Amino acid sequence: MSEYTMYHALGHQDPNHPETQTQPAPPQFQPPIAPSPQDYQHPNLSQANSYSNIPQSPYAGTPPPPQEGYGQPHGQLAMGSQPGGDPGQVASQMGGMNLGEPTTGARHNRKKNRHAFHTLDSPAGSSAAFNGAPSTGQGFSDLSQSQYVGAQTSNEHITPAMSQFPAAAGEAFNPAKPASRGSFSHPIGTPMTSSGGPPGSSQQGRVDPEQIPSVPRSRDGPAQYFQDHIYPTLEHHLPPPAAVAFVAHDQGNSSPKFARLTMNNIPSTAEALTSTGLPLGLLLQPLAPLQAGEQPIPVLDFGESGPPRCRRCRAYINPFMTFPSGGNRFVCNMCTFPNEVPTEYFSPTNPQGVRVDRDQRPELTRGTVEFMVPKEYWAKDPVALRWMFLIDVGQEAVNKGFLEGFCEGLVGALYGDAPSEEHTDVADGEAHPIEPGGQLPPGSRVGIVTFDKDIHFYNLSAGLEKAQMMVMPDIEDPFVPLDEGLFVDPKESKDVIMTLLTQLPNMFATVKNPEPALLPTLNAAQAAMATTGGKIVCSLSALPTWGPGRLFLRDDGKIHNTESEKKLFTTEHPGWKKTADKMLQSGVGVDFFLAAPNGGYLDIATVDNNQSVESGHVSAATGGETFYYPNFHSPRDTTKLSKEIKHTLVRETGYQALMKVRCSNGLQVSSYHGNFVQHTFGADLEFGAVDADKAIGVLFSYDGKLDSKLDAHFQNALLYTTSTGERRVRCCNIVASVSEGGREGMRFVDQDAVVNIIAKEAATKMTERALKDVRGALTEKTVDILAGYRKNFSGSHPPGQLVLPENLKEFGMYTLGLLKSRAFKGGHEPTDRRTHDMRMIKSMGALELSLYLYPRIFPVHNLTEQDGFANENGHLIMPPSIRASFSRIEEGGVYIVDNGQICLLWIHSHVSPNLLEDLFGDGRSSLASLDPFSPSLPILETHLNAQVRNILQYLATLRGSKALTVQLARQGLDGSEYEFARLLVEDRNNEAQSYVDWLVHVHRHIQLEITGQRKKDDGTDTSLSNLSGMRPPYW
């Protein structure tokens, strides 16, 4: 990639210079930390030590082993090649899993003085690249995950020996049957023999689970490093792991929070890309929230003329456009077309070709900016966001307490008592706390409609003593019965709205209508918002079986695991498709809050359909989100419901949105993946609404050859109306280097982006292909990527070695987590759960998907005194996380298990009574005495209680759209322990192999590929249980 100085004014020191000190990060992610109670201030108090890792502790477990350092130099060290080792042992066992670039292979000689739009022999000081800043002669920075130098320790290479065939896996985890710690991973030291196999197979090998790649280790090291360092977006070319909190400094390249490329160094030809097996894609989350300490997104107004754009490709002005001819022209970095600079935008350039006003122009120095747009970009006059709350008041909603919980959540979301960091208005580019009593941005309007068999509208005018109800019995052709009073200012009508929401549960307690009419209600809401657009928030607690659009039970369980199962993931009702199309045209998005009756069927495929092109409808097609409560229980889930309603209202939200992605000459967009509508290929993506938690995957293909002397550029433009009623374009600009071969691409691959793009593509294919074929394709794609590296870039190694790329060490584990997810897993899974997770994967950002595929697990019983409290810099000290395997669970232990969707507090049956009392209070000394329906910990004056509450509060800030509430999982007592077993993704569960067996399986297929024995067969069953070498056709 071109140099840092190319993007900045002259005279700045090169930050890549060894003597340059990285700027410390400002205080970040500092949730309100409970003070240490007075009785725990002294470090030597016996009670504080009672849950540390002192062996004499009555309930302390074995202290965790020292965490391995994050990252390693680009070199490989195979098992047996250490000083004094016998290299022959490698061949006899099956080799090691090495994680770096080979020292035996030829090192790629990077070109120097590489600048955008420049030949290599350009004289220093006369470069026109990036407005003509002079060259310093430094090429693409040799940075990788090892850039986190502050977190490095010894570099241990992972070198287990594996046999060709896995040993029989242990019995699946059954919470009703206590088991030993080692029951759910491959037995340590168990010999695995093979009677034959392809060339290069070993006769005997041993797999040590301690030595295989560790996701917790890959997260903990960077997390520690980025507490004290910022991430400069141009100096470092490999983003931090998605599950790590970091402060990004925008240097002209967009923050990884907004955009992540799968490869930050792109091969120049399609053939070179094919040799890597990697997808060339871009993960976009354009409205992603900022972290404390990061600069707000600048909002720029160019008046009626609008922002400068390329006349050929229509790209927006950005930091990578150059200004030759004394500033009279600007050259587009996408298509290289020279444009005339508008008179009002002209600025002279200095002798080096840099605009003299560059430092005063955010669009020339920042990678992510927003432009105010003139009326020609308007589809209709923009207004502040209108919210319509559609509340199910049917019998099921009343009986289960869902109606009461939803109303309580609305009251809290609209009229919270105190502002917080999350409740800010960022409409003008700066964060301003919103006043108590009004969580929505100024100018917002709200309306309330309830429904069962009938539709009930409410006049909420501020002058009324209480709301006036108007009943719409004609649901065949509903209309809006009032103009004034339907949408009101929530602050002015606070008394009327609060009175109505408080009375609704009692109003319908005696009205027993079990069948809701949902589609007519949605049609009426769309008609009310047709001229303005807006956002609908709808609750539903029973299958809508009344009126037009009535749905029926389609999932009878007979077609699971068959070719016909894919039909359950789509809608077949034309009425729902028509309604979704109308909402999209009106700029209306829908969020659903669904509570299934006793885990029953709701036909989420229709209500929240996932088809994003032909029949993408209602929630998914309009850019909305579904919050699903399969076994809603009041009051346990009421807190979670309230928090998620609040998050829906306060997160950054836009509507009437269009998106376009542009790229450099030589590349073209081949496909999009996510929840949206694209009417024809090449057309803009359309969203009824878009919010901070939504992500889109974009795949690119080659239509020519890239010039390795130039960089590759990408620009995403999102045109939308803000919640305050301003029409804007948010531009994200991304740059990547280009190299002739694929070696550099493998060195700078973004593992989280690769996993996310593959997951989104697989979720899209669920409605077109049988699930077993999708699972098989995921397996084969994993083999393709790792085999491509093994064949082409790993250098010379014994045939039996499994060699992994440095930056794809954990890729196999993430793929296994994807195969074990509810969307793709084998065996029986309710259609609603599978469909919901499929849709969720299609809209997940990098952070949320990373946690979803591999949960973070923290032991509570052996916290040190300092864990859970702030250090001298104000950062919360987090305990090291552990691997998701039951073999890591200690007897008598307590663990926090969080996958971004649910947070469990798992408690061993032999837990210490002292720990329980410290955590839950006096009298809570046994598992039976705990309340399994409590959604949070009590606030106690104990050191342990404060530690755990602080840790939970921190975890709540580092997740996606789902709220964090605690659900107890007591060993042998609670049904939620089955969920705990499912989240131990390294073990044999979810109809799939253990992590160790999975790596053995993948390695065998890699060997088949290397030896040319991996065959193609279009009709092959590619489920994980089939260990044949056949490979299916790719999508």
Side-chain angles (χ1 to χ4, degrees), residues 17 79 111 133 181 197 200 235 259 471 564 644 706 856 885 907 945 951 1028 1032:
H17 193 279
M79 176 191 287
K111 293 182 176 65
R181 289 186 290 173
E235 298 172 47
V471 180
S564 300
E644 290 176 347
L706 297 175
R856 46 195 177 191
S885 172
I907 307 175
N945 180 271
I951 292 172
S1028 69

Side-chain angles (χ1 to χ4, degrees), residues 408-429:
E408 289 179 4
L410 275 183
V411 171
L414 292 173
Y415 308 108
D417 293 332
S420 68
E421 291 183 3
E422 186 180 28
H423 309 142
T424 56
D425 173 24
V426 295
D428 58 354

Side-chain angles (χ1 to χ4, degrees), residues 948-959:
V948 176
R949 285 189 290 108
N950 288 340
I951 292 172
L952 291 174
Q953 195 159 1
Y954 171 82
L955 297 180
T957 66
L958 193 62
R959 59 199 296 110

Side-chain angles (χ1 to χ4, degrees), residues 633-668:
H633 184 280
S634 180
R636 180 194 65 192
D637 297 323
T638 301
T639 301
K640 183 177 178 66
L641 174 64
S642 298
K643 289 183 176 181
E644 290 176 347
I645 293 174
K646 190 174 188 177
H647 178 75
T648 298
L649 267 62
V650 302
R651 66 185 172 186
E652 187 170 3
T653 302
Y655 65 103
Q656 297 177 19
L658 299 173
M659 179 184 284
K660 180 76 171 181
V661 177
R662 298 175 174 88
C663 54
S664 293
N665 286 341
L667 296 174
Q668 62 182 357

Side-chain angles (χ1 to χ4, degrees), residues 612-946:
S612 60
V613 181
E614 296 89 349
S615 59
H617 298 94
V618 190
S619 180
T622 60
E625 183 170 4
T626 296
F627 297 86
Y628 184 45
Y629 309 90
N631 294 288
F632 184 86
H633 184 280
S634 180
R636 180 194 65 192
D637 297 323
T638 301
T639 301
K640 183 177 178 66
L641 174 64
S642 298
K643 289 183 176 181
E644 290 176 347
I645 293 174
K646 190 174 188 177
H647 178 75
T648 298
L649 267 62
V650 302
R651 66 185 172 186
E652 187 170 3
T653 302
Y655 65 103
Q656 297 177 19
L658 299 173
M659 179 184 284
K660 180 76 171 181
V661 177
R662 298 175 174 88
C663 54
S664 293
N665 286 341
L667 296 174
Q668 62 182 357
V669 175
S670 60
S671 62
Y672 293 94
H673 299 283
N675 293 320
F676 52 82
V677 166
Q678 187 182 25
H679 290 292
T680 59
F681 181 76
D684 294 346
L685 308 186
E686 299 182 33
F687 306 84
V690 62
D691 58 63
D693 298 312
K694 298 300 178 296
I696 299 294
V698 189
L699 281 173
F700 301 95
S701 60
Y702 289 80
D703 62 0
K705 181 179 179 180
L706 297 175
D707 189 346
S708 59
K709 300 182 182 68
L710 309 178
D711 289 338
H713 298 270
F714 305 85
Q715 185 181 79
N716 169 60
L718 176 69
L719 173 65
Y720 72 107
T721 304
T722 68
S723 57
T724 55
E726 294 179 341
R727 195 71 170 160
R728 299 180 184 174
V729 170
R730 175 166 291 195
C731 286
C732 299
N733 300 283
I734 308 95
V735 63
S737 294
V738 178
S739 58
E740 291 293 341
R743 181 180 298 276
E744 289 296 303
M746 295 298 291
R747 289 169 60 86
F748 295 97
V749 61
D750 185 339
Q751 179 174 253
D752 291 297
V754 171
V755 171
N756 204 296
I757 291 292
I758 292 176
K760 282 177 167 50
E761 190 176 12
T764 301
K765 297 302 177 182
M766 281 182 62
T767 58
E768 305 170 12
R769 307 254 317 256
L771 278 174
K772 66 178 182 179
D773 293 336
V774 176
R775 289 193 295 269
L778 284 170
T779 302
E780 296 298 328
K781 187 62 176 176
T782 304
V783 174
D784 278 348
I785 293 173
L786 299 181
Y789 177 80
R790 182 67 175 86
K791 288 194 302 182
N792 303 314
F793 311 112
S794 65
S796 177
H797 291 276
Q801 281 191 336
L802 174 59
V803 185
L804 301 178
E806 162 66 19
N807 296 321
L808 289 174
K809 296 192 301 290
E810 299 81 29
F811 177 67
M813 182 63 251
Y814 281 119
T815 307
L816 179 61
L818 189 63
L819 291 168
K820 291 185 175 186
S821 68
R822 281 197 165 95
F824 300 104
K825 67 182 289 291
H828 175 77
E829 186 70 25
T831 301
D832 277 349
R833 299 295 294 269
R834 199 182 288 277
T835 305
H836 172 257
D837 280 39
M838 172 182 70
R839 179 206 179 273
M840 195 166 58
I841 288 174
K842 290 171 66 176
S843 65
M844 276 181 173
L847 164 63
E848 192 169 10
L849 184 66
S850 178
L851 296 178
Y852 175 77
L853 298 182
Y854 196 99
R856 46 195 177 191
I857 304 179
F858 300 96
V860 170
H861 55 281
N862 56 10
L863 294 176
T864 66
E865 266 188 90
Q866 293 76 28
D867 289 339
F869 290 100
N871 61 15
E872 62 276 7
N873 296 323
H875 302 305
L876 192 74
I877 301 175
M878 290 293 291
S881 56
I882 66 170
R883 303 178 77 140
S885 172
F886 197 79
S887 62
R888 305 305 175 102
I889 302 302
E890 299 175 358
E891 184 173 1
V894 178
Y895 296 85
I896 297 171
V897 185
D898 175 31
N899 74 337
Q901 310 296 317
I902 184 175
C903 182
L904 300 176
L905 188 65
W906 187 83
I907 307 175
H908 194 276
S909 58
H910 297 159
V911 65
S912 165
N914 295 337
L915 185 149
L916 290 180
E917 290 195 344
D918 279 354
L919 199 55
F920 296 98
D922 294 337
R924 307 288 186 177
S925 57
S926 66
L927 294 185
S929 65
L930 303 181
D931 180 9
F933 300 115
S934 176
S936 60
L937 294 179
I939 300 177
L940 304 176
E941 292 295 317
T942 64
H943 195 82
L944 179 63
N945 180 271

